[in-house]
């Protein structure tokens, strides 16, 4: 257990993981727990502070998530956010009612700068509000330290020695202009933490822990080439070297050159001294996918075939002592093992271990890290940036970026189009950054090409064509739960269009997908 820890208690809020990430950005370790966690367990963890998240309920409703007053008597600072703020007031004797004016979105807020929570921020700034209820009467012993035009208690603090704070807005989201500063003040100043949670120390201590756990045992890892599995492979390589065997199944549905890039880093000519097995199963996958057009059917075939290939390789290797998994903290939370807003999905990395591998135990050294922390570990371990900052990629790969049947020729088309598109976006962003000293505002968080199942007539030279249309997608998003189409400069899109049509055989149209999420998804299938 880390020396310093902040506990986030989840009441079903959509931003629970974001709260924990913001705490860790203050270099303080943080974990998420359900509001149902026994108070004795919370005390035993000896947290430096506690944060209560938002939630979709009304605190005065029967059956709403709640807590007892003893949570506020542990003696450590407690910060309630939105629902957590209302719950704190409700439990301690305040009054919460339906708001006469619902506040949602960016809201001008006035702050009492004499309170340490708002140290270093302006007297007035924009925050993100999202509530139908409001605190109409504060609990005994509390005073207002922030207000808006419609909310007299935008923030509350005790006027005695109890370190209790209630904030009606969401400081964890980027829309709150000085939200990070508010959380920093709570986590580092009010909770008196040192801020020793850093990735260099994590790498050092985790390598030692892995060596102690594994001893002289053998470890098997299914290496996909994604960020999580690649960082895991590099970490285990540093810890146990040749005791690690990585099986990389190239199903032929990766992005252009990715298979060779993965082998270049982890294969015999790479810098990591491990046992690396590459299985070139492209033709096997194409045969299985022939004639299949339904998205879920394709997903199922790709997933099952991976298991079959990995099973065959595992049998050749024989018994191992440990199976390594690239589980990261969002997997744990979303699988219902962490917070309350939980059970979103049953993730393949948590539970459901393959029974065809003969192993004694599992190794999950990245289990407590968020994705951005995993990337930092990757850089600390010396992985190349193109691998560490690889964009999100679906498990079934290009199989779900090809509408309709998957064939080798269609894979070639989407690989080449995608490579051109990403290259041009990257080049334009680099040029802008060199000229302006920062990334362009339009720079997307994810961008890729997909192959539609539409064919249409075109003219190239003096000849009539009947070829496919490629769709290019680029989105701006904070948390990938919602997304908007990125406003990539039109001249960049024109260059992409021209190059794709001229360089990729079988394409005569390029579309730009403007759909937001919702109603659409970021991926195509």
């Amino acid at each position: 257990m880390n020396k310093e820890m902040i506990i986030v208690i989840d009441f079903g809020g959509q931003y629970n993981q974001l709260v924990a990430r913001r705490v860790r950005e203050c270099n303080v370790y943080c974990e998420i727990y359900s509001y149902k966690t026994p108070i004795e367990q919370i005390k035993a963890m000896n947290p430096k502070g506690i944060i209560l998240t938002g939630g979709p309920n009304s605190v005065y409703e029967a059956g709403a998530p709640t807590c007892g007053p003893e949570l506020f008597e542990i003696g450590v600072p407690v910060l309630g956010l939105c629902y957590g703020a209302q719950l704190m007031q409700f439990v301690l004797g305040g009054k919460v009612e339906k708001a006469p004016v619902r506040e949602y979105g960016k809201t001008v807020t006035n702050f009492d700068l004499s309170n340490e929570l708002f140290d270093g921020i302006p007297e007035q700034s924009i925050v993100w509000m999202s509530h139908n209820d409001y605190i109409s009467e504060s609990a005994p012993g509390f005073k207002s330290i922030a207000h808006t035009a419609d909310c007299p208690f935008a923030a509350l603090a005790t006027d005695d020695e109890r370190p209790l704070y209630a904030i009606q807005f969401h400081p964890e989201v980027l829309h709150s202009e000085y939200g990070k500063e508010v959380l920093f003040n709570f986590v580092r100043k009010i909770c008196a933490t040192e801020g020793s949670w850093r990735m260099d120390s994590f790498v050092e201590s985790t390598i030692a822990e892995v060596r102690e756990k594994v001893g002289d045992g053998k470890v098997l890892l299914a290496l996909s080439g994604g960020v999580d599995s690649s960082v895991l492979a590099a970490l285990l390589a540093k810890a146990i070297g040749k005791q690690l065997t990585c099986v990389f199944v190239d199903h032929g549905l990766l992005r252009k050159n990715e298979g060779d890039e993965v082998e270049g880093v982890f294969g015999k000519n790479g810098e990591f001294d491990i046992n690396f097995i590459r299985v070139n199963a492209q033709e096997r996958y194409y045969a299985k996918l022939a004639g299949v057009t339904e998205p879920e059917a394709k997903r199922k075939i790709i997933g099952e075939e991976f298991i079959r290939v990995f099973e065959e390789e595992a049998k050749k290797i024989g018994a191992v002592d440990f199976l390594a998994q690239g589980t990261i903290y969002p997997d744990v939370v979303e699988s219902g093992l962490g917070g309350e807003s939980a059970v979103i999905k049953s993730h393949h990395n948590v539970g459901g271990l393959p029974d065809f591998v003969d192993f004694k135990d599992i190794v999950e050294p990245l289990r407590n890290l968020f994705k951005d922390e995993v990337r930092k570990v990757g850089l600390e371990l010396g992985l190349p940036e193109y691998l560490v900052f690889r964009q999100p990629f679906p498990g079934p790969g290009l199989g779900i970026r090809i509408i309709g049947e998957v064939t080798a020729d269609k894979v070639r088309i989407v690989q080449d189009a995608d490579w051109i598109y990403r290259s041009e976006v990257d080049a334009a962003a680099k040029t802008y950054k060199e000229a302006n000293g920062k990334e362009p505002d339009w720079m997307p968080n994810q961008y890729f090409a997909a192959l539609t199942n539409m064919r249409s007539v075109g003219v190239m030279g003096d000849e009539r064509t009947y070829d496919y249309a490629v769709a290019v997608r680029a989105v701006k998003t904070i948390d990938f739960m919602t997304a908007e189409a990125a406003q990539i400069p039109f001249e960049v899109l024109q260059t992409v269009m021209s190059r794709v049509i001229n360089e990729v055989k079988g394409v005569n149209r390029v579309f730009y997908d403007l759909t937001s999420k919702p109603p659409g998804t970021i991926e195509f299938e």
Side-chain angles (χ1 to χ4, degrees):
M1 182 62 65
N2 291 272
K3 179 182 177 182
E4 294 185 330
M5 180 168 69
I6 299 291
I7 289 177
V8 171
I9 297 183
D10 181 16
F11 292 91
Q14 62 177 317
Y15 300 128
N16 65 338
Q17 291 187 37
L18 189 55
V19 174
R21 283 178 57 190
R22 292 287 180 257
V23 172
R24 293 193 187 186
E25 287 171 5
C26 299
N27 298 122
V28 177
Y29 185 67
C30 180
E31 288 186 359
I32 302 169
Y33 289 90
S34 166
Y35 72 91
K36 300 172 185 174
T37 305
I39 191 70
E40 294 78 16
Q41 183 180 338
I42 292 173
K43 287 180 180 178
M45 289 185 279
N46 194 28
K48 297 286 285 186
I50 296 170
I51 298 178
L52 314 182
T53 74
N57 302 91
S58 293
V59 296
Y60 47 78
E61 291 177 342
T66 190
C67 65
E70 60 271 17
L71 180 66
F72 306 105
E73 298 166 1
I74 295 177
V76 300
V78 181
L79 174 65
L81 307 179
C82 199
Y83 180 90
Q86 294 173 3
L87 182 64
M88 177 189 291
Q89 296 301 297
F90 185 73
V91 168
L92 296 179
K95 191 172 182 181
V96 178
E97 300 178 278
K98 188 68 68 177
V101 178
R102 177 179 182 265
E103 288 185 315
Y104 182 82
K106 295 180 179 180
T107 307
V108 176
T109 303
N110 299 283
F111 298 95
D112 176 0
L113 301 186
S114 66
N115 192 279
E116 189 175 16
L117 190 64
F118 303 134
D119 186 33
I121 75 169
E123 190 172 355
Q124 187 180 82
S125 69
I126 299 292
V127 303
W128 184 259
M129 289 284 192
S130 179
H131 63 100
N132 288 313
D133 298 328
Y134 82 130
I135 300 161
S136 57
E137 292 180 19
S138 62
F142 283 82
K143 64 178 180 180
S144 176
I145 56 172
H147 67 276
T148 71
D150 299 305
C151 184
F153 300 117
L156 292 150
T158 45
D159 55 11
D160 51 35
E161 294 183 355
R162 294 174 300 163
L164 305 179
Y165 302 83
I167 296 179
Q168 184 58 69
F169 58 90
H170 287 277
E172 69 273 20
V173 302
L174 295 179
H175 302 302
S176 292
E177 290 179 332
Y178 293 90
K180 287 185 178 182
E181 287 78 1
V182 171
L183 286 174
F184 183 90
N185 288 339
F186 177 76
V187 170
R188 293 293 295 274
K189 296 179 181 179
I190 294 171
C191 294
T193 55
E194 296 176 6
S196 56
W197 170 250
R198 290 183 171 85
M199 290 305 101
D200 53 354
S201 57
F202 171 86
V203 169
E204 185 178 334
S205 61
T206 303
I207 285 175
E209 290 170 6
V210 168
R211 285 174 178 162
E212 182 178 357
K213 179 171 182 174
V214 171
D216 59 359
K218 295 180 180 179
V219 180
L220 176 63
L221 168 65
L223 177 62
S224 70
V227 177
D228 301 337
S229 70
S230 296
V231 172
L232 176 58
L235 183 65
L236 293 174
K238 294 283 189 183
I240 58 175
K242 284 287 190 182
Q243 293 168 249
L244 171 66
T245 297
C246 289
V247 176
F248 170 51
V249 178
D250 186 347
H251 48 35
L253 301 170
L254 298 171
R255 288 169 286 208
K256 188 178 178 73
N257 301 326
E258 275 193 341
D260 293 339
E261 289 173 356
V262 172
E263 185 171 4
V265 172
F266 295 105
K268 62 181 180 180
N269 296 320
E271 63 177 275
F272 296 100
D273 186 27
I274 62 173
N275 299 305
F276 177 82
I277 299 171
R278 177 175 180 174
V279 184
N280 292 310
Q282 296 93 328
E283 296 305 320
R284 177 171 173 172
Y285 272 85
Y286 298 155
K288 288 281 185 179
L289 291 166
V292 180
T293 60
E294 205 276 320
E296 281 306 307
K298 288 194 288 185
R299 286 176 181 269
K300 188 174 181 181
I301 289 169
I302 293 167
E304 287 184 350
E305 198 60 20
F306 174 82
I307 292 175
R308 300 286 80 81
V309 175
F310 188 64
E311 178 181 16
E312 292 167 13
E313 294 303 318
K315 286 178 178 177
K316 294 176 188 176
I317 295 166
V320 295
D321 300 285
F322 298 90
L323 181 70
Q325 293 196 143
T327 309
I328 65 174
Y329 199 51
D331 301 334
V332 175
V333 175
E334 291 171 5
S335 297
L337 304 178
E340 182 59 28
S341 25
V343 205
I344 298 170
K345 62 182 179 181
S346 180
H347 195 278
H348 67 279
N349 273 340
V350 182
L353 298 172
D355 55 12
F356 55 79
V357 179
D358 185 6
F359 66 98
K360 300 174 184 176
D361 201 355
I362 60 171
V363 179
E364 297 176 302
L366 306 179
R367 184 181 178 88
N368 291 325
L369 300 186
F370 285 104
K371 178 72 79 173
D372 54 332
E373 294 170 326
V374 173
R375 295 187 198 277
K376 290 176 184 176
V377 169
L379 294 176
E380 195 71 31
L381 291 165
L383 284 174
E385 287 195 8
Y386 67 78
L387 201 158
V388 172
F389 292 104
R390 184 162 281 167
Q391 289 186 51
F393 195 55
L398 298 178
I400 61 170
R401 291 183 183 172
I402 295 172
I403 309 303
E405 182 185 15
V406 175
T407 66
D409 194 49
K410 286 184 176 181
V411 170
R412 172 195 59 79
I413 290 173
V414 77
Q415 282 180 334
D416 290 345
D418 178 74
W419 184 82
I420 290 170
Y421 177 46
R422 288 187 291 116
S423 298
E424 289 297 336
V425 170
D426 292 345
K430 182 180 179 182
T431 299
Y432 182 96
K433 189 172 183 179
E434 288 173 349
N436 298 279
K438 63 175 184 178
E439 281 194 340
D441 292 338
W442 53 260
M443 186 64 190
N445 300 97
Q446 187 175 354
Y447 44 110
F448 59 88
L451 182 61
T452 74
N453 204 29
M454 169 188 159
R455 300 182 75 181
S456 63
V457 173
V459 179
M460 298 180 73
D462 292 325
E463 295 184 358
R464 177 182 182 275
T465 62
Y466 185 65
D467 287 328
Y468 286 105
V470 161
V472 292
R473 181 104 163 108
V475 297
K476 294 278 290 181
T477 178
I478 296 173
D479 52 16
F480 289 87
M481 295 172 66
T482 61
E484 297 291 337
Q487 296 183 35
I488 294 177
F490 189 67
E491 60 269 21
V492 177
L493 294 175
Q494 281 186 307
T495 301
V496 171
M497 176 274 297
S498 179
R499 286 195 59 192
V500 168
I501 289 176
N502 281 283
E503 298 175 33
V504 183
K505 184 181 178 182
V507 178
N508 65 3
R509 289 182 190 269
V510 176
F511 298 148
Y512 186 62
D513 185 353
L514 292 172
T515 314
S516 62
K517 175 187 178 182
T521 58
I522 293 177
E523 290 291 345
F524 267 61
E525 291 188 1

